Amino acid sequence: MSFVIYWEKLDKKVAQSVQSQINRFFSSLDDRPPFLGDIRVESLDFGSVAPNLEIVDLTEPFPEFYMATEEEEDDDDDDAAASGSSGGGRGSQLPPSASEDDMQLLAKVEYCGDMAIVLKTELQLNYLAQQFVSLPVTLHITKIEFSALAVLAYLQDRVNLCFLEPLPPRTSLLDDFAIRTEIGDADQHVLKNVEKLERFITEQLRRAIDEDFVFPSYHSFEAAG
């Protein structure tokens, strides 16, 4: 069974949330090439073309969705330290308890739309000294193709979203995308580094999606009132 998605409901707040999550991933990288500066998502636009969704099953929510996340546990520890006490409730951070109204959808997702991501970084050229020259680089990610089994769990006042790991021979949820790179210099040495940069960004974008959005990882959003 397929259904209509109101893609336009994904506003700037949702885009900023996803953008922040990807930025946290990039900031934690410990294998960034020495010629590359910090990487950040400058903008993320969901575009106007919605993915195709087909419901394949309706089940009980995964038990993991009722467990406190690491962020919730950290917030609870901070609250307890501030009040000088240990234990106690989590307030608004309390994970949801099971309700008979809770439900979970398993849906087949296929996307080939006009979503766009802009990344910013620097090429650091060490000709005479470390970081002797830094060239700003802008990478435009477009023509994103994506397919997966999505899990949408409706738990009282929140919605949890994640994807299931792709089946072999596929190794990533991202099937394809295009990169267009803008740089202020175009000599041969720089172009070689741009090729390395694009390969690195391609690998890391796949990692960011596959590690951060594939179950047991998931993202939780407040349900609309």
Side-chain angles (χ1 to χ4, degrees), residues 189-205:
H189 180 77
V190 170
L191 289 178
K192 288 182 180 179
N193 277 345
V194 169
E195 292 174 1
K196 294 178 183 178
L197 167 61
E198 290 182 346
R199 286 198 299 269
F200 179 77
I201 292 297
T202 296
E203 294 170 358
Q204 299 311 317
L205 274 178

Side-chain angles (χ1 to χ4, degrees), residues 89-164:
R90 301 179 189 276
S92 61
Q93 295 298 326
L94 182 69
S97 56
S99 166
E100 61 180 12
D101 294 327
D102 293 349
M103 67 175 181
Q104 178 171 286
L105 298 177
L106 180 63
K108 186 176 180 181
V109 182
E110 294 183 350
Y111 178 80
C112 183
D114 55 350
M115 179 186 295
I117 303 172
V118 177
L119 302 176
K120 295 278 191 177
T121 186
E122 290 181 341
L123 281 181
Q124 298 173 347
L125 310 181
N126 305 321
Y127 287 122
L128 303 177
Q130 188 73 13
Q131 298 181 15
F132 182 67
V133 178
S134 292
L135 299 173
V137 179
T138 302
L139 300 105
H140 300 266
I141 313 297
T142 56
K143 299 181 180 178
I144 296 171
E145 296 182 12
F146 176 95
S147 58
L149 284 176
V151 176
L152 283 169
Y154 296 86
L155 314 175
Q156 300 182 57
D157 61 348
R158 70 174 68 182
V159 177
N160 288 353
L161 169 66
C162 66
F163 300 95
L164 300 185

Side-chain angles (χ1 to χ4, degrees), residues 3 53-54 56-65 103-109 146 148-155 159-165 173 213-221:
F3 55 93
L53 265 73
E54 180 182 351
V56 296
D57 203 359
L58 181 63
T59 67
E60 296 292 327
F62 292 147
E64 288 84 351
F65 291 157
M103 67 175 181
Q104 178 171 286
L105 298 177
L106 180 63
K108 186 176 180 181
V109 182
F146 176 95
L149 284 176
V151 176
L152 283 169
Y154 296 86
L155 314 175
V159 177
N160 288 353
L161 169 66
C162 66
F163 300 95
L164 300 185
E165 188 173 354
L173 300 180
F213 289 86
V214 172
F215 186 78
S217 295
Y218 66 90
H219 291 267
S220 189
F221 304 93

